[in-house]
Amino acid sequence: MSSAPNPTAHAPSAPPADGLPGGGAFADVTASESALRRYLHGLPGVDAVGLEARAATLGTRSIKTSSKAHAIDLAISMIDLTTLEGADTPGKVRSLCAKGRNPDPTDRTTPRVAAICVYPDMVATAGEALAGSGINVASVATAFPAGRAALDVKLADTRDAVAAGADEIDMVIDRGAFLSGRYMKVFEEIRAVKEACRRTDGGAAHLKVIFENGELSTYDNIRRASWLAMLAGADFIKTSTGKVAVNATLPNTLLMLEAVRDFRAATGVQIGVKPAGGIRTTKDALKYLVTVNETAGEDWLTPEWFRFGASSLLNDLLMQRQKLSTGHYSGPDYVTVD
């Protein structure tokens, strides 16, 4: 596995003149609702049995002790440390930012996390707390988590977060539109949010597009959503909000990794992947890193291209890191409770 660089998001490349990845190679695909539907339904069907068997095999791969310490540090550097609760306060957000900057106060060699993810009204607070740290401020937007709002409301939500200093925007797709086959509505909404991510200085916030795989139900739908989001200009594709019963799983993340691998082969454009929700242990995180390496390759093994949407995961990674370093676990007060 490659070493992790500083966990700052890659700067989104300037879009081609026609706004489509790959220099407009897919312009005909997105020219109309019928063309887009034909393309998405023409993607190869997913062999569910084969996909799950492949994920299960990758999940049994072991990492040598000599590599485990590096893998744990890499996983820490890929975390989007998150608080998305109605009871969030400025104090809670500042505390989370402090933990992200210095996850283990007893060991200054511990990597910092990739980003702190908060609601739009907490972006400014997070930005102040993270100033000079190199950690990005991410914000959910577009009426997260349900996405049930008019487009102008979603765009205002996005613009407010970007104006407050968000480096990254995590948007949710309209699952109702997607599941009813209105693919162009979803495509155009992603494109509009992408445009709303632009800042007045000419830069842009990084756009992560959340599918909510637990509501898409089928692997074929997840593959279609992956290609739809990438065609629309997503910088990252993300499994879930963490707010439903079924969130990230190894098979659906494997499927999304195959999609970004194939998309880069077709267009030359690299897209990141973010599994979110339900990843709580070091053992789980290492399975995901093995899956990234074996599916998309080492190019994705950096915080620029792979993230974990998880908070409880960080505590377990810190406990396991301390165990490798000292040979024993610390007491229950070794890590802070988020």
Side-chain angles (χ1 to χ4, degrees), residues 152-170:
D152 59 347
V153 174
K154 295 179 180 181
L155 296 180
D157 198 25
T158 303
R159 292 189 188 106
D160 284 349
V162 173
D167 302 296
E168 304 173 7
I169 294 294
D170 289 32

Side-chain angles (χ1 to χ4, degrees), residues 101 112 126-135:
R101 293 180 74 131
R112 60 182 183 254
E128 291 171 3
L130 295 172
S133 69
I135 298 173

Side-chain angles (χ1 to χ4, degrees), residues 27-313:
D28 56 337
V29 168
T30 58
S32 68
E33 181 76 68
S34 59
L36 185 56
R37 182 181 294 108
R38 275 196 308 273
Y39 180 79
L40 294 176
H41 283 266
L43 293 170
V46 179
D47 175 2
V49 174
L51 179 73
E52 291 172 0
R54 172 68 172 160
T57 298
L58 291 171
T60 63
R61 298 279 180 86
S62 61
I63 294 180
K64 295 179 180 179
T65 302
S66 58
S67 300
K68 190 173 181 180
H70 169 67
I72 287 173
D73 279 2
L74 181 58
I76 291 171
S77 76
M78 291 174 163
I79 287 178
D80 284 0
L81 198 56
T82 303
T83 183
L84 298 170
E85 303 298 334
D88 286 344
T89 64
K92 182 179 180 181
V93 169
R94 283 191 287 267
S95 177
L96 197 68
C97 291
K99 183 171 182 177
R101 293 180 74 131
N102 188 17
D104 183 355
T106 71
D107 185 351
R108 296 290 179 161
T109 68
T110 307
R112 60 182 183 254
V113 302
I116 302 294
C117 186
V118 294
Y119 277 116
D121 64 316
M122 291 291 174
V123 166
T125 298
E128 291 171 3
L130 295 172
S133 69
I135 298 173
N136 287 335
V137 178
S139 180
V140 296
T142 65
F144 177 95
R148 311 303 299 186
L151 179 58
D152 59 347
V153 174
K154 295 179 180 181
L155 296 180
D157 198 25
T158 303
R159 292 189 188 106
D160 284 349
V162 173
D167 302 296
E168 304 173 7
I169 294 294
D170 289 32
M171 72 165 286
V172 288
I173 65 167
D174 184 336
R175 280 87 77 191
F178 181 89
L179 290 169
S180 61
R182 291 176 289 154
Y183 300 130
M184 187 57 73
K185 180 179 187 297
V186 180
F187 175 86
E188 290 175 346
E189 194 165 276
I190 295 170
R191 292 289 297 277
V193 174
K194 174 85 169 181
E195 185 60 30
C197 286
R198 296 198 173 277
R199 296 189 293 263
T200 55
D201 63 3
H206 206 176
L207 179 62
K208 307 191 196 89
V209 177
I210 309 170
F211 303 149
E212 201 68 288
N213 287 345
E215 294 183 349
L216 297 190
S217 300
T218 71
Y219 290 131
D220 284 339
N221 277 340
I222 294 170
R223 175 171 281 172
R224 290 171 190 143
S226 297
W227 279 84
L228 175 59
M230 293 187 294
L231 288 169
D235 296 302
F236 256 72
I237 53 176
K238 179 178 171 182
T239 62
S240 35
T241 64
K243 301 294 186 181
V244 298
V246 178
N247 292 289
T249 69
L250 207 56
N252 65 39
T253 304
L254 169 59
L255 181 58
M256 291 164 66
L257 286 164
E258 290 176 345
V260 298
R261 176 199 64 198
D262 295 344
F263 188 78
R264 188 176 75 168
T267 66
V269 177
Q270 187 163 337
I271 307 296
V273 175
K274 178 180 173 180
I279 306 170
R280 297 184 176 87
T281 69
T282 300
K283 184 177 180 180
D284 287 339
L286 298 186
K287 289 178 182 179
Y288 279 86
L289 293 182
V290 168
T291 301
V292 173
N293 190 54
E294 295 292 320
T295 306
E298 287 193 6
D299 286 352
W300 272 266
L301 278 175
T302 80
E304 288 183 311
W305 302 109
F306 192 79
R307 298 281 183 86
F308 290 107
S311 290
S312 58
L313 172 62

